[in-house]
Amino acid sequence: MRRFLPKSIRWKISLPILLFGAIAGFATGIYTYKTEVDKAVYTTEEKVNAAITFSDSSREYVRKTLRPLIFDFLARAKGCVQEDFILEAQSSSFFTASIFNMVNEKMPDFQLRQVAYNPINPKNNPKPEEAKIINFMKATNQKEYVGVIEMNGQRYFVHAFGKVAEAGCMQCHSTREAMPKSLVAKYNPQYDPNWKVGELVGAVMVSVPFEAILLRAQLNGLIRGLAVFSIFLAITLFIVVALDRLVFKPVEELQRRAEEIAKGNVDEPIEVKSEDEIGKLAESFERMRVSIKKVMDLLK
């Protein structure tokens, strides 16, 4: 084991310090990197959850407030109002999607999809990846799904909230004959939706491009991780340089002078540069040099 250890005390002390500094800096840098990535993912989850909460609250507002008011208005206004159903105010899906489209102009990364099997609007048919999520929630009897999925060659972070058919949905989503004439005129559905109360028929999905968020977080994490590693390395190098100048070089100088004295060169005085232990050692060497010089002078 000894032959693998450096002979110089400088390296016996400096190497462990450098090794410790490098390992500590690297570990802290990795932790900083991981923390940055986790923070980005968590922040994204919070934003998506906020969008889901907004969507759910908007739908609830339409169901409990707007829709009853409009129904009452239409019932009392027969003869002067031709519409039997005002899509913009009575459809919770249309209402939520319209508002979210405005939000999406300012936050283009966020996408909201309200998909369902047998929808009135064909645009709301689920894509294959979305259908898998709906089927998964059905099979596992879960109301929510959170995860990363791949669509069109790109990964997305998705939070889906299951849509269960309620009694209020049946006016538009039971049969084509029972459907409001205004909806038939607008969408002209070719089939009966045949939704059943209590059945999971679709989902509200908010998604964000995961790759862009992850790459941005990884870049920030890498920069901060390298910065932390560099700080640790700089501190370690400072300690090594300070030890070299304050301890190792003075000791080497004393060693060189001791060898000179051993050869009989006792005329050059040893300079004492500090008052610490090395300075006291230098004083001892200087007293030894003076004593040896006196003895040598007496022997001449």
Side-chain angles (χ1 to χ4, degrees), residues 248-259:
F248 303 136
K249 284 187 176 179
V251 169
E252 284 182 348
E253 177 63 19
L254 288 177
Q255 177 190 4
R256 186 187 69 79
R257 294 306 310 277
E259 290 177 354

Side-chain angles (χ1 to χ4, degrees), residues 85-265:
F85 187 84
I86 300 177
L87 181 68
E88 292 78 4
Q90 291 179 275
S91 170
S92 58
S93 298
F94 192 93
F95 180 87
T96 304
S98 299
I99 295 178
F100 202 89
N101 286 338
M102 297 178 185
V103 175
N104 188 243
E105 293 178 2
K106 297 182 179 180
M107 303 175 68
D109 283 345
F110 283 82
Q111 300 176 15
L112 181 139
R113 288 264 297 160
Q114 301 180 103
V115 298
Y117 292 122
N118 298 331
I120 298 175
N121 186 350
K123 293 181 179 180
N124 293 335
N125 267 307
K127 299 175 183 178
E129 296 81 3
E130 296 168 337
K132 288 180 181 178
I133 293 176
I134 297 173
N135 292 335
F136 173 80
M137 287 192 289
K138 274 187 174 182
T140 57
N141 198 28
Q142 294 184 17
K143 295 182 179 179
E144 293 184 64
Y145 171 88
V146 179
V148 177
I149 65 172
E150 186 169 333
M151 290 190 293
N152 302 322
Q154 186 175 359
R155 290 198 301 168
Y156 289 85
F157 178 83
V158 176
H159 188 162
F161 186 82
K163 181 178 180 181
V164 177
E166 300 175 352
C169 303
M170 295 301 104
Q171 179 189 8
C172 302
H173 296 279
S174 56
T175 64
R176 191 174 183 275
E177 288 72 20
M179 199 177 295
K181 295 179 181 180
S182 57
L183 290 187
V184 175
K186 184 176 180 64
Y187 294 112
N188 191 26
Q190 300 301 309
Y191 51 80
D192 292 336
N194 288 326
W195 284 15
K196 294 179 174 55
V197 175
E199 182 182 9
L200 183 69
V201 293
V204 178
M205 301 185 183
V206 176
S207 61
V208 292
F210 191 70
E211 296 292 352
I213 294 170
L214 188 62
L215 287 175
R216 193 160 52 238
Q218 287 175 334
L219 180 60
N220 291 336
L222 184 61
I223 292 172
R224 295 189 180 186
L226 287 175
V228 170
F229 176 75
S230 299
I231 291 172
F232 266 83
L233 193 59
I235 293 173
T236 303
L237 291 175
F238 173 79
I239 294 173
V240 170
V241 170
L243 284 173
D244 187 67
R245 292 191 176 185
L246 297 176
V247 178
F248 303 136
K249 284 187 176 179
V251 169
E252 284 182 348
E253 177 63 19
L254 288 177
Q255 177 190 4
R256 186 187 69 79
R257 294 306 310 277
E259 290 177 354
E260 290 293 321
I261 293 172
K263 295 176 182 178
N265 301 324

